[in-house]
């Protein structure tokens, strides 16, 4: 089971890609098949089971798009 | 069971930030908001927005806000803090606003030891007006008003605000931080929190200079802009605590 999980507030995403650059497990990618109402492409999690809940993506997101959950008791 | 380890700060409203994609004004907003939330002072905080891209920050910070004329944030904050001494007061100013048109107000507020906190966002350019040269623009940096790059002969050397303010006796806490990666974001938050803590302990004037990006006017992707901060800006603007009147005292 994945140690962590993230959720996006998609309407606020501006597709700056900073989250994808700072994820240590490299599981965040640009999804050119999806678009929000502002016209920005969205971000997709490729291998959710690899998320460690470190919150690096969320800390570097300027627009507070990402909420991060971590399994109780698991450490990063 | 899972627990939330990161979510949008209650110190921010639900409004979508008006900043360009990847602009670190957003990260700095989050840090200020998180500090105010964690210190439990949102209800008694009054922020002063300046003129620049952050002019609309009164829509984004979830506390009382006042908008000041260009460069006058520290004068406005002085009035607010003196009439409402129990409030937590901060200004949020860009480098055009603080280091250019507002340098006099800022220096004199520091010199009087006014008990509020200045968040100084140094992105080495005038962002809002389309990328003109700022007092903080680096040597050789091209802007719309220095198309061949800033030159020492024509424009002088970039002003180092933190070093300059560290010479002011009544300025209590002066530090320069950056938000170009996770480690630095964490440290920046620590310094901003310390500045607010000092204010709560009536220790006087504090200024945190945050190196920030302007991907749009620098002509870079948001990530490349963070790397430019790390490789170019920090060389000229070293990070660290420049003054702390209360450390080890
Ligand atoms: C009295 C006055 N002079 C000039 C302007 C035009 N003006 C608006 S924002 C700005 C500079 C903003 O740059 P900065 O403070 O660095 O903030 P940024 O937009 O980069 O965040 C200027 C010169 C103004 N609004 N008012
Ligand atoms: S929480 Fe960490 S591992 Fe999970 S997506 Fe974000 S950066 Fe990647
Ligand atoms: S950092 Fe935030 S705004 Fe930028 S792409 Fe990722 S989720 Fe979207
Ligand atoms: S113009 Fe520059 S400083 Fe202003 S919001 Fe856009 S990227 Fe940020």
């Amino acid at each position: 089971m994945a140690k962590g999980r993230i959720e996006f507030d998609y309407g606020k995403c501006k597709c700056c890609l900073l989250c994808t650059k700072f994820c240590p497990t490299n599981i965040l990618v640009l999804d050119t098949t999806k678009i929000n109402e502002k016209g920005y492409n969205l971000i997709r999690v490729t291998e959710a089971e690899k998320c460690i809940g470190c919150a690096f993506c969320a800390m570097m997101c300027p627009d507070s798009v990402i909420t991060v959950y971590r399994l109780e008791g698991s450490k990063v | 069971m899972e627990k939330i380890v990161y979510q949008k700060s209650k110190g921010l409203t639900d409004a979508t930030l008006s900043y360009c994609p990847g602009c670190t004004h957003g990260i700095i907003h989050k840090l200020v908001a998180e500090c105010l939330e964690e210190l439990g002072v949102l209800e008694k905080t009054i922020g002063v927005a300046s003129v620049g891209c952050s002019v609309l920050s009164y829509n984004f910070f979830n506390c009382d806000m006042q908008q000041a004329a260009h460069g006058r944030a520290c004068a406005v904050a002085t009035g607010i803090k003196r009439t409402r001494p129990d409030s937590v007061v901060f200004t949020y100013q860009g480098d055009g606003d603080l280091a250019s048109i507002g340098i006099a107000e800022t220096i004199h507020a520091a010199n009087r030891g006014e008990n509020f906190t200045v968040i100084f966002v140094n992105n080495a350019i005038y962002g809002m007006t389309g990328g003109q040269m700022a007092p903080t623009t680096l040597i050789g940096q091209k802007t719309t008003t220095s198309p061949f790059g800033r030159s020492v002969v024509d424009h002088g050397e970039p002003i180092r605000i933190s070093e300059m303010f560290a010479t002011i006796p009544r300025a209590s806490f002066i530090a320069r931080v950056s938000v170009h990666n996770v480690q630095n974001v964490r440290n920046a938050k620590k310094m901003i929190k310390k500045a607010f803590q000092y204010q709560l302990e009536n220790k006087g004037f504090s200024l945190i200079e945050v190196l920030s990006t302007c991907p749009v006017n620098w002509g870079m992707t948001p990530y490349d802009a963070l790397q430019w901060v790390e490789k170019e800006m920090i060389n000229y603007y070293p990070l660290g605590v420049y003054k702390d009147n209360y450390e080890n005292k």
Side-chain angles (χ1 to χ4, degrees):
Chain A
M1 202 174 158
K3 280 185 185 171
R5 181 172 69 83
I6 63 171
E7 272 172 9
F8 295 88
D9 182 358
Y10 280 119
K12 285 212 162 90
C13 180
K14 294 176 184 163
C15 194
C16 71
L17 302 180
L18 289 183
C19 55
T20 69
K21 303 281 187 185
F22 286 93
C23 173
T25 58
N26 277 313
I27 56 173
L28 302 179
V29 296
L30 171 65
D31 185 352
T32 51
T33 67
K34 293 213 176 67
I35 199 167
N36 67 10
E37 62 219 6
K38 283 197 240 303
Y40 292 115
N41 280 137
L42 300 177
I43 303 302
R44 184 166 61 86
V45 183
T46 52
E47 298 160 278
E49 68 284 358
K50 285 194 182 160
C51 178
I52 54 174
C54 64
F56 286 9
C57 54
M59 283 170 74
M60 295 308 292
C61 172
D63 288 276
S64 303
V65 173
I66 302 174
T67 303
V68 184
Y69 301 83
R70 197 184 300 155
L71 265 189
E72 213 108 45
S74 77
K75 291 229 162 61
V76 174
Chain B
M1 272 290 284
E2 56 178 19
K3 57 174 194 253
I4 292 180
V5 289
Y6 194 101
Q7 63 185 332
K8 186 175 85 70
S9 169
K10 292 183 179 56
L12 293 173
T13 64
D14 287 333
T16 298
L17 303 183
S18 51
Y19 305 110
C20 305
C23 172
T24 47
H25 262 304
I27 296 180
I28 301 165
H29 274 43
K30 291 198 305 181
L31 297 183
V32 172
E34 288 167 8
C35 289
L36 294 172
E37 181 187 359
E38 287 164 25
L39 290 168
V41 296
L42 277 169
E43 285 300 316
K44 61 170 184 172
T45 297
I46 305 173
V48 182
S50 61
V51 171
C53 288
S54 57
V55 67
L56 296 174
S57 62
Y58 51 76
N59 285 332
F60 309 140
F61 287 114
N62 201 9
C63 57
D64 285 335
M65 293 291 292
Q66 171 64 46
Q67 215 288 308
H70 205 10
R72 312 297 179 244
C74 281
V76 172
T78 297
I80 294 173
K81 186 73 187 192
R82 286 189 177 203
T83 47
R84 316 242 349 202
D86 294 334
S87 304
V88 172
V89 176
F90 74 95
T91 71
Y92 186 102
Q93 304 174 256
D95 46 357
D97 189 88
L98 183 147
S100 191
I101 191 170
I103 189 74
E105 282 77 1
T106 316
I107 286 179
H108 290 294
N111 195 46
R112 295 189 304 266
E114 299 291 344
N115 187 32
F116 60 76
T117 301
V118 173
I119 307 297
F120 168 45
V121 180
N122 178 1
N123 61 8
I125 207 159
Y126 287 13
M128 183 194 211
T129 43
Q132 293 81 5
M133 183 172 56
T136 46
T137 294
L138 295 184
I139 299 300
Q141 188 183 336
K142 289 186 176 141
T143 68
T144 53
T145 49
S146 59
F148 306 110
R150 180 181 185 143
S151 100
V152 177
V153 174
D154 290 335
H155 314 117
E157 306 245 358
I159 293 182
R160 293 184 173 105
I161 289 293
S162 290
E163 287 85 335
M164 182 196 268
F165 276 67
T167 67
I168 300 176
R170 296 204 68 199
S172 289
F173 185 58
I174 309 287
R176 183 184 290 121
V177 298
S178 174
V179 291
H180 66 275
N181 60 25
V182 171
Q183 186 198 347
N184 279 275
V185 166
R186 284 201 177 116
N187 186 56
K189 180 169 171 185
K190 217 183 278 172
M191 293 297 149
I192 292 171
K193 202 170 203 175
K194 185 162 184 180
F196 280 122
Q197 256 151 358
Y198 271 31
Q199 182 181 160
L200 286 164
E201 293 159 13
N202 288 316
K203 287 178 172 168
F205 187 89
S206 51
L207 180 147
I208 307 297
E209 173 175 355
V210 191
L211 301 185
S212 189
T213 64
C214 179
V216 167
N217 289 302
W218 292 0
M220 296 177 199
T221 66
Y223 185 66
D224 287 349
L226 292 182
Q227 294 196 302
W228 195 78
V229 170
E230 183 172 17
K231 296 200 178 84
E232 304 294 334
M233 279 185 89
I234 291 175
N235 275 339
Y236 189 83
Y237 297 116
L239 307 181
V241 174
Y242 283 85
K243 192 160 194 281
D244 187 340
N245 280 359
Y246 292 89
E247 194 76 338
N248 307 321
K249 274 183 198 167

